[in-house]
Amino acid sequence: MLYLLIKAGLSGVIIAVVSEVAKRYPGVGALIASLPLVSVMGLMWLWHDFPDSRNMASHAEATFWFVLPSLPMFLLIPALLRQGLGFWYALAAGCVVTIALYLLMTWIAPRLGIQL
């Protein structure tokens, strides 16, 4: 239980740091947010819990493929905000598009020989 609390606490600290830094320096906050810290921590915790090279390789590769459909959200949200759409609507639209792209990825990847 303590291990779970440490993982959750550390993840929360990263999110808090990003939001606080981004208030003053949006670019630096974006840089920190773009670092694959959560993925790296997830890899370390997965290795700690289940040290299997094959499983780790599959997880890391699937993470790569699932990052791709999330990227358009970071272009759509600012475009919608600049068009005057409210933040919550822009965020919702970005999330809907991302979910649709995730579904497309899970459908198309096996057809391309990619295991997720």
Side-chain angles (χ1 to χ4, degrees):
M1 183 63 161
L2 177 62
Y3 180 54
L4 177 62
L5 292 174
I6 290 170
K7 291 192 297 187
L10 186 54
S11 300
V13 166
I14 291 171
I15 292 168
V17 167
V18 168
S19 67
E20 290 301 312
V21 170
K23 285 181 194 176
R24 187 159 181 157
Y25 307 104
V28 176
L31 173 64
I32 296 167
S34 72
L35 296 172
L37 297 173
V38 172
S39 296
V40 169
M41 286 188 308
L43 289 169
M44 291 186 308
W45 291 325
L46 178 59
W47 185 259
H48 178 268
D49 295 342
F50 188 65
D52 178 82
S53 295
R54 216 176 160 133
N55 185 56
M56 185 62 64
S58 295
H59 174 78
E61 186 175 17
T63 299
F64 169 80
W65 290 110
F66 279 122
V67 164
L68 297 179
S70 71
L71 294 177
M73 177 179 70
F74 298 105
L75 296 175
L76 178 62
I77 291 173
L80 293 174
L81 290 171
R82 288 186 182 111
Q83 294 290 322
L85 193 65
F87 168 75
W88 295 110
Y89 293 111
L91 180 62
C95 290
V96 167
V97 167
T98 300
I99 290 167
L101 291 173
Y102 280 147
L103 292 172
L104 179 63
M105 176 62 80
T106 59
W107 179 77
I108 202 166
R111 288 156 179 75
L112 299 173
I114 299 168
Q115 281 191 324
L116 299 176

